[in-house]
Amino acid sequence: MTHQYQDLITIFNQTFFTDYQTQLELGGEEPIYLPANEQTPYHRIIFARGFYASALHEIAHWCVAGPQRRLLEDFGYWYEPDGRSAEVQAEFERVEIRPQAYEWIFAQSAGFPFTVSCDNLNGDIEPDRLAFMHKVHQQVLALLKQGLPLRVKRLSDALRQHYARPPLSPDQFIVK
């Protein structure tokens, strides 16, 4: 199955633009979320370099952000660049569990491979990717059990329909 970022842009924009005045757009080197302003009357999720996985990740952050956060550039979140200490890496992973769980749900809904991102290639410590993956996995299972949040469900359903994928079930999410 081929995953084209253009398809994801179309699916996202058809699913959310009317209700949320938000568009997914191709960007350059770095992803960013830009709220509406005087020049652009709608919000923009801009993903990096045409990477399908980058778009899924940025959409996941948008799904985590509440209404007030969606009015702030990059949702007002802090981002500590690569090269984090053990303490800062632990905090990074703690706040990334939910968005990466959403990203995994979207990837599975599209039949696209998923891997967690510890995002600390030049840090003092080597992140435990498998331990982090287990935390994300537990979050996915909890979400499937309690029911997906509205925006996550809407995009998951749209992706599953587009890619002719079966309903989500816990056995589809395997930690490797």
Side-chain angles (χ1 to χ4, degrees), residues 42-88:
Y42 54 88
H43 312 295
R44 296 176 288 159
I45 302 169
I46 301 171
F47 64 98
R49 299 181 221 132
F51 293 144
Y52 196 93
S54 173
L56 293 179
H57 186 78
E58 296 312 310
I59 293 167
H61 277 286
W62 179 78
C63 286
V64 169
Q68 294 304 316
R69 290 260 187 202
R70 292 194 307 269
L71 298 176
L72 304 172
E73 184 174 313
D74 264 350
F75 314 110
Y77 295 139
W78 66 272
Y79 179 76
E80 184 77 25
D82 193 356
R84 294 183 282 275
S85 67
E87 298 80 28
V88 175

Side-chain angles (χ1 to χ4, degrees), residues 10 20 38 40 49 65 67-68 74-75 84 87 95-97 100 111 119 137 169:
T10 300
Y20 294 93
E38 300 79 32
T40 308
R49 299 181 221 132
Q68 294 304 316
D74 264 350
F75 314 110
R84 294 183 282 275
E87 298 80 28
V95 300
E96 277 288 312
I97 290 171
Q100 291 201 33
D119 202 21
H137 182 251
S169 64

Side-chain angles (χ1 to χ4, degrees), residues 92-168:
F92 170 83
E93 289 179 13
R94 187 187 68 73
V95 300
E96 277 288 312
I97 290 171
R98 182 170 291 263
Q100 291 201 33
Y102 289 177
E103 182 183 349
W104 196 355
I105 289 166
F106 298 147
Q108 185 62 39
S109 297
F112 187 78
F114 171 78
T115 185
V116 294
S117 174
C118 296
D119 202 21
N120 197 27
L121 301 174
N122 299 315
D124 298 4
I125 56 125
E126 177 68 31
D128 187 340
R129 194 192 70 74
L130 191 56
F132 182 53
M133 182 95 176
H134 279 289
K135 291 175 186 174
V136 173
H137 182 251
Q138 289 305 309
Q139 181 69 62
V140 167
L141 297 180
L143 289 163
L144 292 175
K145 185 176 182 177
Q146 69 195 27
L148 300 179
L150 177 62
R151 287 178 288 152
V152 175
K153 182 176 182 345
R154 283 178 67 182
L155 186 58
S156 173
D157 289 348
L159 290 167
R160 287 187 312 97
Q161 180 180 2
H162 180 82
Y163 292 104
R165 302 280 299 158
L168 297 178

